[in-house]
Amino acid sequence: MSSKTSNAFHIAAMPGEGIGLEVMEAAQAVLEAVEARFGIAFRSETIPGGAHHYRETGATLPKDGLARAGQADAILFGAMGWPDIRFPDGTEIAPQLDIRMHYGLYAGVRPIRAIPGVPTALADPRAAGIDLVIVRESTEGMFASRGKGEIIDDREARDTQVITRDVTEKLTAFSCGLARRRKATRGTPGRVTLVDKANVFRSFAFMRQVFHETAAKHPDIEARHHYVDAMALDLVRRPWDFDVLPMENLFGDILSDLGAGLIGGMGFAPSADVGDRNAMFQPSHGTAPDIAGQGIANPTAMILSAAMMLDWLGETRSSQAATDAALAIEKGVDKAFGERGLRSQDIGGGHGTVEIGRTVAELVRSGAADPA
Ligand code: ATP
């Protein structure tokens, strides 16, 4: 690793474009507060990239961008991609997918947690207790076919799903570890539920078999499975009953947007892409060209992604300061929207990107958000 002491971290900051630039600035204000409060030192290196970068230079990232990102302790990513700027074959510019594939970031961790004061989509009072995590497998599944699908003729096209034992074992072990850590730190039930379609497809029956074989090595964790169609229903009917939900890539793509819809929208949905050695942290949303440059983007997803980065650094680098800082950011967000009554524009309020970032930063810096 590039950093010598456990409380000094080298961060590759990749703000990207659109609202990625704006929410990254807000998250950086919070990380400055973390440095002041928790004695952590960040060495932040900015790496440009995205669709506009492609238009200007002919490449989506600088030549050494991928390598530099991989040398950092963690990658903090804003958003990249722009509707009108595409590759000659019409596909989107998405360096985040290249980073995921290059560094084998198989676990797409997408927490769905109700934030105090933020209206949930469900009227049931139990919705305030929504606290689950979708673990979207991010290197194979249906997306393994990205760029490789076949157009047979003008009447038929095919994409093929790939599920491997190796990645399913890693995904399951990761999910069990996450459920264990959540049980210890948040009192959640320690339950992992695989979401699949094993009644129809052989690849999913295989995935389920490997999942249960692997989960059996984690006897402290309860392992279940659930069909994806039933899960779509139950995420709306009783989302408060679920804990950690590993699933195939495309299922995770769809259900994590549904999950974000439950707790206020994309502006509140952080994510982490974790591999054996590297990890990237980014909001679940994209560049949102319709609101870019207006200062109204909700930076909460980005700020909570920075908290996930600190939590991961805390765990993998044995840094209690980083673990504490992660909890403080989460608590700062809760207090900003709860006690302080902040309302971002995406939930009908008038507080802008900078104001939300500053409020969370001030709560963290002052100690008002220190973990208990
Ligand atoms: P991508 O495919 O790159 O994920 P997308 O087409 O799904 O992008 P997003 O950029 O994620 O689109 O956003 C969809 C819409 O949601 C935006 O156009 C915007 O109106 C809204 N939105 C997304 N993120 C935020 C945010 N942080 N704050 C406020 N509104 C947001």
Side-chain angles (χ1 to χ4, degrees), residues 105-112 132-143 161-164 167-176 178 192-198 203-204 207-208 211 224-235 242-260 273:
L105 310 182
Y106 56 86
V109 186
R110 283 134 186 245
I112 305 295
L132 62 90
V133 185
I134 288 173
V135 185
R136 169 187 176 183
E137 195 294 308
S138 301
T139 57
E140 52 185 39
M142 206 55 202
F143 280 70
Q161 153 145 312
V162 176
I163 302 286
T164 66
V167 169
T168 305
E169 284 177 353
K170 287 204 286 195
L171 185 78
T172 307
F174 179 90
S175 300
C176 290
L178 178 62
V192 174
T193 307
L194 178 74
V195 179
D196 65 32
K197 192 75 182 167
S203 56
F204 282 123
M207 187 179 195
R208 185 183 284 192
F211 166 76
R224 295 184 179 180
H225 50 257
H226 215 72
Y227 292 127
V228 65
D229 43 343
M231 185 53 85
L233 179 73
D234 285 336
L235 276 180
F242 296 100
D243 186 4
V244 176
L245 304 175
M247 62 189 76
E248 180 273 330
N249 207 335
L250 183 58
F251 291 169
D253 186 31
I254 298 165
L255 290 185
S256 55
D257 272 27
L258 190 160
D273 292 290

Side-chain angles (χ1 to χ4, degrees), residues 19 23 79-81 92 96 257 266-268 283-291 296-301 344-346:
I19 65 168
V23 297
M80 294 187 190
E92 283 176 34
Q96 58 275 31
D257 272 27
M266 301 304 280
F268 293 95
S284 296
H285 60 75
T287 54
D290 56 333
I291 58 162
I296 59 171
N298 179 0
T300 308
S344 47
Q345 308 239 358
D346 51 350

Side-chain angles (χ1 to χ4, degrees), residues 55-348:
R55 189 162 65 186
E56 282 150 29
T57 68
T60 60
L61 292 174
K63 213 159 142 205
D64 59 351
L66 202 57
R68 276 159 59 203
Q71 281 154 13
D73 290 315
I75 303 166
L76 191 61
F77 193 99
M80 294 187 190
W82 207 255
D84 317 334
I85 309 176
R86 293 183 179 241
F87 290 120
D89 70 357
T91 57
E92 283 176 34
I93 313 292
Q96 58 275 31
L97 298 187
D98 300 325
I99 296 172
R100 267 184 214 159
M101 296 305 278
H102 186 80
Y103 289 111
L105 310 182
Y106 56 86
V109 186
R110 283 134 186 245
I112 305 295
R113 186 178 70 88
I115 293 170
V118 176
T120 53
L122 304 174
D124 191 310
R126 286 175 293 183
I130 295 174
D131 183 4
L132 62 90
V133 185
I134 288 173
V135 185
R136 169 187 176 183
E137 195 294 308
S138 301
T139 57
E140 52 185 39
M142 206 55 202
F143 280 70
S145 210
R146 177 178 170 243
K148 298 180 197 153
E150 269 182 285
I151 306 288
I152 311 288
D153 55 33
D154 70 346
R155 288 164 306 162
E156 187 176 335
R158 294 182 186 187
D159 283 301
T160 308
Q161 153 145 312
V162 176
I163 302 286
T164 66
R165 171 174 289 277
D166 179 45
V167 169
T168 305
E169 284 177 353
K170 287 204 286 195
L171 185 78
T172 307
F174 179 90
S175 300
C176 290
L178 178 62
R180 185 176 298 118
R181 187 165 164 83
R182 278 166 53 80
K183 188 177 179 178
T185 56
R186 322 169 82 95
T188 44
R191 186 185 304 131
V192 174
T193 307
L194 178 74
V195 179
D196 65 32
K197 192 75 182 167
N199 52 335
V200 176
F201 298 103
R202 283 185 179 167
S203 56
F204 282 123
F206 172 74
M207 187 179 195
R208 185 183 284 192
Q209 184 199 322
V210 176
F211 166 76
H212 281 295
E213 280 169 24
T214 310
K217 295 176 190 153
H218 302 265
D220 57 320
I221 300 301
E222 189 187 340
R224 295 184 179 180
H225 50 257
H226 215 72
Y227 292 127
V228 65
D229 43 343
M231 185 53 85
L233 179 73
D234 285 336
L235 276 180
V236 175
R237 258 189 355 160
R238 51 182 189 96
W240 40 84
D241 283 345
F242 296 100
D243 186 4
V244 176
L245 304 175
M247 62 189 76
E248 180 273 330
N249 207 335
L250 183 58
F251 291 169
D253 186 31
I254 298 165
L255 290 185
S256 55
D257 272 27
L258 190 160
L262 293 174
I263 48 103
M266 301 304 280
F268 293 95
S271 85
D273 292 290
V274 181
D276 291 335
R277 186 195 169 280
N278 299 84
M280 171 167 68
F281 302 85
Q282 62 173 322
S284 296
H285 60 75
T287 54
D290 56 333
I291 58 162
Q294 298 172 38
I296 59 171
N298 179 0
T300 308
M302 182 81 236
I303 291 169
L304 289 173
S305 301
M308 291 178 79
M309 176 182 82
L310 281 158
D311 186 56
W312 181 78
L313 289 168
E315 194 188 3
T316 57
R317 309 289 193 274
S318 305
S319 163
Q320 190 58 44
T323 302
D324 290 346
L327 288 167
I329 295 178
E330 206 176 277
K331 201 162 159 187
V333 165
D334 286 6
K335 284 199 168 197
F337 285 91
E339 286 170 19
R340 299 277 178 97
L342 250 57
R343 291 291 174 272
S344 47
Q345 308 239 358
D346 51 350
I347 54 168

